[in-house]
Amino acid sequence: MKLTDLTITQAHEGLKNKEFSAVELTKAYLDQIKHKDTKMDAYLSLTEDLAIGQAKAADRKIAEEKDFPLLCGVPSSIKDSILVEGQQATAGSKILENYVAPYDATVIDRLKKQGAVILGKTNTDEFTMGVSTENSAFKVTKNPHDLTRVAGGSSGGPAASVAANQACYALGSDTGGSIRLPASFCGVAGLNPTYGAVSRYGAIALASSLDQIGPIARNVEDIKTVFKTISGKDPLDATSADYIFAQSDIKIKGLKIGVPKEYFKKGIDLEVENIIKNAIRKAEQNGAKIIQISLPNTEYAIACYYIIVPSEASANLARYDGIKYGLSDQSPENLLGVYLKSRGEGFGPEPKRRILIGTYSLSSGYYDAYYKKAQEIRELIRQDFRDAFEKVDLIFSPVSPIPAFKIGEKVDDPLSMYLMDVYTCPVKLAGIPALSLPAGKIGKLPVGLQIIGNYFEENKILGVASLLEKVLQ
Ligand code: GLN
């Protein structure tokens, strides 16, 4: 086995048994990236000096402490919308092209305290708006299983880096599906945590009432390890919850699994449907009780999401004015001119589209008809899930209606991109956790099963996923 094939747990064992050092492991990854990433474009920048420095420090820690942390000396990649002190943080946008993060996000601080190694910053759709990384201002990340196809988005860089053994694990973020969808397309596991389970401090915001940082990894065990490290209360994020992720014994036998009928209506690819139904059958064969459920307001989720997210985005993106951060065009004579020019040059088409939609739906005279209405629908969607979790422990569904599509296939049709979020965005509107677990392949293209849980029930999701991943492989 190559060093870059190892999971976190395996790498930890190897480090513990002195089979290799953290510096050797880190160099193996950096080599792999330099050889393979020119074709795949998962990384926007390498943080080589930081990585080698961290690996050396990890080797010292390993020499001194018998029970060093699981993540100590293990190399990761970080989505470029998450701040790592002293490193670039573009969020995939030209407006932040030369922006250097002045501090660490809380999740990075927590990783560093464990002795983690950070290899580099990975590609994302601009301000994490998208499903394919085609909205990145810099490059399109290719799918490691088929380079003519997208890796998914917006955390396409993080997911591809893990799938192609260019990082042992990664941090991504999920506002409407951005961890689960690329994880599904790339054949790796990805967790969208309960809203509030992980601090958002130091994550460049898209929509603050939905954004969550979460792990992407090769297996469920590794997801647990990273999630345990990054989750929990943070005084720097008032929306973070007093939550300690603890693992307990979960059994599939007797567990009630809901299958929402609205998620298998027209629009879903038949082969995707077969893979998901097969996973459901496998759960049943292992003792789960399968129950048909209804989430009646599913059909309004996309419309609701694409009012709320642009509204919040239009407010969050107001700070990029050409003065405070990043790109600044000082050629105009007055301040308004500087704002207009800098924003005009710095933002790509998707952020502009969302700023327009968001500003419109928040403006007086339209607020009640759009934003307020969307908030009411959001409550109905929350209630759908609350009702469902009265009857079942977990919900199984597809992550995406189709597998990874061809690069360029949908770029001229933003609506068809938005529709890709149909199974992932309702979860976000409710604020509940969900995992994408590799469930099978169509040809060489991976397909993920979505396992949805109730608030703060990551333990149940991950417990069942651990058992299922063995039978699905
Ligand atoms: N595709 C969704 C959007 O464009 C989700 C993005 C995300 O989760 N960051 O808004």
Side-chain angles (χ1 to χ4, degrees):
M1 216 178 191
K2 280 170 62 184
L3 288 187
T4 50
D5 292 344
L6 303 174
T7 62
I8 296 174
T9 321
Q10 291 166 336
H12 179 75
E13 281 304 305
L15 290 167
K16 199 171 188 163
N17 299 331
K18 311 272 184 284
E19 289 162 32
F20 46 82
S21 68
V23 169
E24 280 164 346
L25 184 62
T26 301
K27 285 190 172 158
Y29 272 108
L30 289 168
D31 273 356
Q32 175 92 344
I33 296 167
K34 284 175 192 162
H35 278 105
K36 277 175 68 179
D37 206 46
T38 44
K39 285 208 199 89
M40 224 180 56
D41 286 327
Y43 281 84
L44 286 176
S45 62
L46 282 186
T47 53
E48 192 164 351
D49 292 346
L50 174 69
I52 296 290
Q54 287 174 324
K56 285 183 180 158
D59 280 330
R60 285 195 293 277
K61 203 175 168 111
I62 292 166
E64 283 160 17
E65 290 173 32
K66 205 162 87 263
D67 291 317
F68 60 93
L70 271 165
L71 292 178
C72 181
V74 182
S76 60
S77 83
I78 307 294
K79 189 176 187 177
D80 209 26
S81 56
I82 300 171
L83 306 191
V84 178
E85 188 184 343
Q87 308 298 333
Q88 75 157 51
T90 67
S93 182
K94 242 176 80 180
I95 208 160
L96 287 177
E97 189 163 9
N98 298 312
Y99 178 65
V100 173
Y103 60 89
D104 279 328
T106 296
V107 289
I108 299 301
D109 186 46
R110 292 189 179 172
L111 289 186
K112 283 184 175 175
K113 288 203 171 103
Q114 301 288 306
V117 172
I118 296 169
L119 297 163
K121 306 294 302 290
T122 34
N123 197 19
T124 166
D125 286 294
E126 187 168 0
F127 288 105
T128 82
M129 298 171 182
V131 292
S132 64
T133 79
E134 289 168 296
N135 292 337
S136 166
F138 305 108
K139 43 171 87 160
V140 178
T141 302
K142 284 85 190 170
N143 191 306
H145 301 274
D146 176 349
L147 295 175
T148 66
R149 290 176 188 266
V150 301
S154 65
S155 310
S161 71
V162 174
N165 297 352
Q166 297 183 6
C168 190
Y169 68 94
L171 291 187
S173 67
D174 194 312
T175 303
S178 278
I179 288 176
R180 291 159 289 157
L181 190 113
S184 169
F185 281 11
C186 292
V188 290
L191 175 70
N192 161 67
T194 306
Y195 183 78
V198 177
S199 167
R200 291 179 294 109
Y201 181 73
I204 295 173
L206 167 56
S208 307
S209 78
L210 299 111
D211 297 344
Q212 271 293 286
I213 295 172
I216 296 175
R218 300 217 174 98
N219 65 16
V220 176
E221 191 57 37
D222 287 358
I223 293 279
K224 290 181 193 168
T225 303
V226 182
F227 181 57
K228 201 171 162 54
T229 306
I230 61 173
S231 55
K233 183 77 190 161
D234 175 15
L236 298 171
D237 173 3
T239 63
S240 71
D242 230 335
Y243 165 58
I244 297 168
F245 169 65
Q247 296 179 54
S248 61
D249 222 11
I250 300 288
K251 295 195 176 59
I252 292 197
K253 201 167 160 21
L255 211 73
K256 292 194 264 320
I257 292 174
V259 178
K261 63 172 199 267
E262 291 81 3
Y263 284 42
F264 293 90
K265 287 197 170 151
K266 70 173 195 311
I268 183 169
D269 178 283
L270 251 181
E271 289 179 278
V272 171
E273 182 169 346
N274 284 338
I275 289 175
I276 303 307
K277 294 226 158 121
N278 175 55
I280 294 169
R281 231 177 353 259
K282 286 271 158 65
E284 191 171 24
Q285 285 161 5
N286 282 277
K289 233 176 113 188
I290 307 299
I291 300 171
Q292 238 221 26
I293 58 163
S294 172
L295 299 168
N297 293 292
T298 300
E299 62 176 309
Y300 308 115
I302 294 261
C304 167
Y305 175 90
Y306 279 97
I307 291 294
I308 290 177
V309 169
S311 300
E312 294 189 21
S314 69
N316 275 326
L317 298 185
R319 75 190 70 172
Y320 306 105
D321 55 6
I323 305 290
K324 294 199 273 299
Y325 311 85
L327 186 140
S328 177
D329 188 326
Q330 302 274 346
S331 61
E333 274 171 17
N334 58 30
L335 186 60
L336 182 63
V338 173
Y339 290 164
L340 295 178
K341 267 226 131 181
S342 304
R343 286 169 71 83
E345 285 168 29
F347 287 132
E350 188 59 31
K352 282 182 183 160
R353 186 156 34 238
R354 295 204 194 189
I355 290 168
L356 288 174
I357 296 172
T359 309
Y360 183 84
S361 56
L362 289 177
S363 57
S364 94
Y366 297 97
Y367 180 92
D368 284 354
Y370 294 100
Y371 185 72
K372 191 158 162 264
K373 190 76 167 183
Q375 290 294 7
E376 286 163 5
I377 304 279
R378 183 175 189 175
E379 185 46 37
L380 293 177
I381 289 169
R382 266 195 209 112
Q383 194 55 47
D384 279 358
F385 282 107
R386 271 190 222 119
D387 292 344
F389 284 118
E390 295 278 316
K391 300 187 204 95
V392 299
D393 296 291
L394 293 170
I395 296 171
F396 279 16
S397 87
V399 171
S400 146
I402 55 170
F405 50 89
K406 290 264 182 201
I407 292 169
E409 192 182 313
K410 294 181 189 290
V411 273
D412 298 324
D413 186 1
L415 257 184
S416 77
M417 296 274 201
Y418 296 174
L419 286 172
M420 297 294 295
D421 300 323
V422 60
Y423 306 133
T424 49
C425 78
V427 158
K428 298 297 314 199
L429 292 165
I432 52 181
L435 175 87
S436 175
L437 180 74
K441 278 186 176 181
I442 303 173
K444 43 187 176 170
L445 301 178
V447 171
L449 164 75
Q450 179 167 232
I451 306 181
I452 306 169
N454 208 347
Y455 297 98
F456 299 107
E457 292 202 334
E458 279 83 357
N459 182 39
K460 229 184 239 177
I461 296 179
L462 294 168
V464 166
S466 286
L467 300 168
L468 262 190
E469 88 180 328
K470 296 189 192 90
V471 291
L472 290 176
Q473 264 160 18

